[in-house]
Amino acid sequence: MAQAVQKMVAKVPGLIGAAVTFSKPRLATFWHYARVELVPPSPAEIPKAIEGATNIVKSFQSGRLGQITVRDAVRNGLVATEVMLWFYIGECIGKGGIIGYDV
């Protein structure tokens, strides 16, 4: 039993080295995209977002909604779902739990 533990302990540095070698390029890729994608919008991007939202509302009011492709409809639905989920996650964090507010 003691020999098995000693063999396992002897293998730990090699396994840690392999894990570090395996994860370094993946973490570098993650941090590259995290710096680009996870930043808040700049003041120059806010008018573009407002314009996009007004265009969606105008297309909905004018009836062009039936002419949008399935790919765009799915993409819009996924974006709306993501926004809704982040809202609910923020609500749960703010409340300190999943169920109700303390009134």
Side-chain angles (χ1 to χ4, degrees):
M1 179 68 174
Q3 290 177 348
V5 172
Q6 286 177 348
K7 287 181 183 178
M8 194 177 334
V9 169
K11 290 181 181 181
V12 168
L15 291 174
I16 291 174
V20 168
T21 304
F22 177 79
S23 63
K24 272 188 180 179
R26 285 157 183 82
L27 285 173
T29 303
F30 169 76
W31 284 117
H32 169 74
Y33 288 114
R35 284 188 197 105
V36 174
E37 296 292 333
L38 298 177
V39 295
S42 68
E45 293 174 338
I46 293 174
K48 293 178 187 175
I50 293 172
E51 180 183 344
T54 55
N55 287 342
I56 290 173
V57 170
K58 286 180 184 176
S59 68
F60 184 74
Q61 290 173 344
S62 67
R64 285 193 331 219
L65 191 64
Q67 297 175 357
I68 126 179
T69 63
V70 173
R71 176 183 231 159
D72 288 339
V74 169
R75 187 180 303 142
N76 290 341
L78 288 174
V79 169
T81 303
E82 181 184 7
V83 169
M84 183 180 66
L85 286 176
W86 281 115
F87 172 77
Y88 287 129
I89 289 171
E91 282 285 313
C92 290
I93 291 171
K95 290 187 294 191
I98 294 177
I99 302 173
Y101 287 100
D102 293 331
V103 180

